[in-house]
Amino acid sequence: MKTAITILSMSFSILLLSCNTGTKKELTDAEHNLKKVNRDLQHAAKDSTNAAKEKTITEWKAFNEKSEKMVSVLNAELKQFQKKINTSDQKETIWLKKELIRNREKLKIMRSKLRDRNMEFENGLLKFDDSIASKNESFQREFNYDMDELSKAVKDLFINNVK
């Protein structure tokens, strides 16, 4: 947006200099109009950035809330899985416990990633730009994919091995 303002200013200045026939009043009016256009462009750019920032904040908060709930639900499922393992008399109990520990560790990593990204997001708002929205989209895709995979793994263990 600043590039457009600069180009517009330079073009207008060149136009004014090449037209030497203008009076001082016309030149002053043209300069005044140029300044007004520059201010308007700057306000439009600022408004656009603020709108993008608000949209990104709203989307992130919704994603973060949804993700925290997913983590909590999966954590509760792992606790139920632990209870079923403890009451089962299967030969594979040792293996199931190892899988449970492995999945709990993955969930802990996912929760940590979410919290780290949330802090990074909060800190990045001070210097908001388009890269924050792009980073959020990328993180959300990756996080959702990883959570889906972990959730499937836990459900498969739960269904197939503990009855």
Side-chain angles (χ1 to χ4, degrees), residues 66-136:
K66 178 184 162 203
S67 298
E68 286 289 346
K69 286 178 185 173
M70 285 173 30
V71 167
S72 294
V73 166
L74 196 51
N75 193 43
E77 288 176 2
L78 287 172
K79 285 180 183 178
Q80 286 235 280
F81 188 60
Q82 174 70 52
K83 287 178 185 176
K84 290 201 179 223
I85 289 173
N86 290 340
T87 59
S88 82
D89 56 344
Q90 294 183 353
K91 299 173 193 171
E92 297 178 329
T93 302
I94 294 172
W95 178 79
L96 290 172
K97 285 182 180 180
K98 286 181 184 178
E99 287 299 304
L100 177 68
I101 291 168
R102 189 174 65 82
N103 286 318
R104 277 191 175 149
E105 187 59 33
K106 284 182 182 179
L107 183 60
K108 185 178 176 182
I109 290 168
M110 294 304 294
R111 178 176 275 151
S112 178
K113 281 183 181 181
L114 182 61
R115 288 185 177 150
D116 290 348
R117 179 64 189 128
N118 193 46
M119 286 177 50
E120 185 180 328
F121 176 76
E122 296 286 330
N123 293 335
L125 286 178
L126 298 176
K127 54 184 187 316
F128 182 83
D129 61 15
D130 291 337
S131 69
I132 289 178
S134 176
K135 275 182 164 180
N136 279 352

Side-chain angles (χ1 to χ4, degrees), residues 55 59 132-142:
K55 180 182 177 207
E59 289 174 351
I132 289 178
S134 176
K135 275 182 164 180
N136 279 352
E137 290 172 9
S138 177
F139 177 83
Q140 289 174 14
R141 274 192 307 275
E142 181 182 325

